[in-house]
Amino acid sequence: CIVSVTNVPPPHSTIRPGSPVPVSTNNPGVRKAARFGVYRYNNSSNDLFLFKESQIKKAMVQVVRGLKYLLHVEIKRTVCEKRDHCSLDSCHFQREKNLQRMLRCYFEVWITPWTHKVHIPVAHCQ
């Protein structure tokens, strides 16, 4: 799966370099960063199914040579099997009780839009 980095919007023009500051969980940049974290999780998991973000619980952003998002995200198992799907947009969450699974994740997603690079130094899910 190729995911574009070019259209990640800056969270807010007033943010100065330095400490992480809270940012809305509905921010488009936050949502895109959460999806990058989910891709990273899916690539490293040996689950048969893909997971997808169900709720972004908390988001912070730090300006450090780009934007570093610090995210607390709940992810859930979808009905899409890994080998068959690339885009998570069309994947619905599992409805079968015995296949449902929810994980709480902490992602650090570092985006440098001018180099089109995404680095995810931290992706912990449990």
Side-chain angles (χ1 to χ4, degrees), residues 31 34 40 53 61 75 84 95 110 114 116 121 124 126:
R31 301 232 300 262
R40 159 81 190 267
E53 65 282 3
V61 69
I75 67 174
D84 299 334
R95 289 207 176 83
W110 194 5
W114 57 90
H116 309 303
H124 292 308
Q126 58 186 29

Side-chain angles (χ1 to χ4, degrees), residues 42-81:
N42 283 331
N43 286 338
S44 62
S45 92
N46 45 20
D47 200 290
L48 188 64
F49 296 95
L50 291 169
F51 279 69
K52 179 174 153 178
E53 65 282 3
S54 58
Q55 192 180 10
I56 301 169
K57 305 289 277 183
K58 184 180 173 194
M60 299 186 86
V61 69
Q62 184 176 14
V63 179
V64 272
R65 294 194 311 281
L67 300 170
K68 187 178 188 183
Y69 291 93
L70 300 90
L71 307 173
H72 293 268
V73 183
E74 285 183 356
I75 67 174
K76 289 182 179 173
R77 187 184 274 144
T78 69
V79 296
C80 295
E81 290 192 23

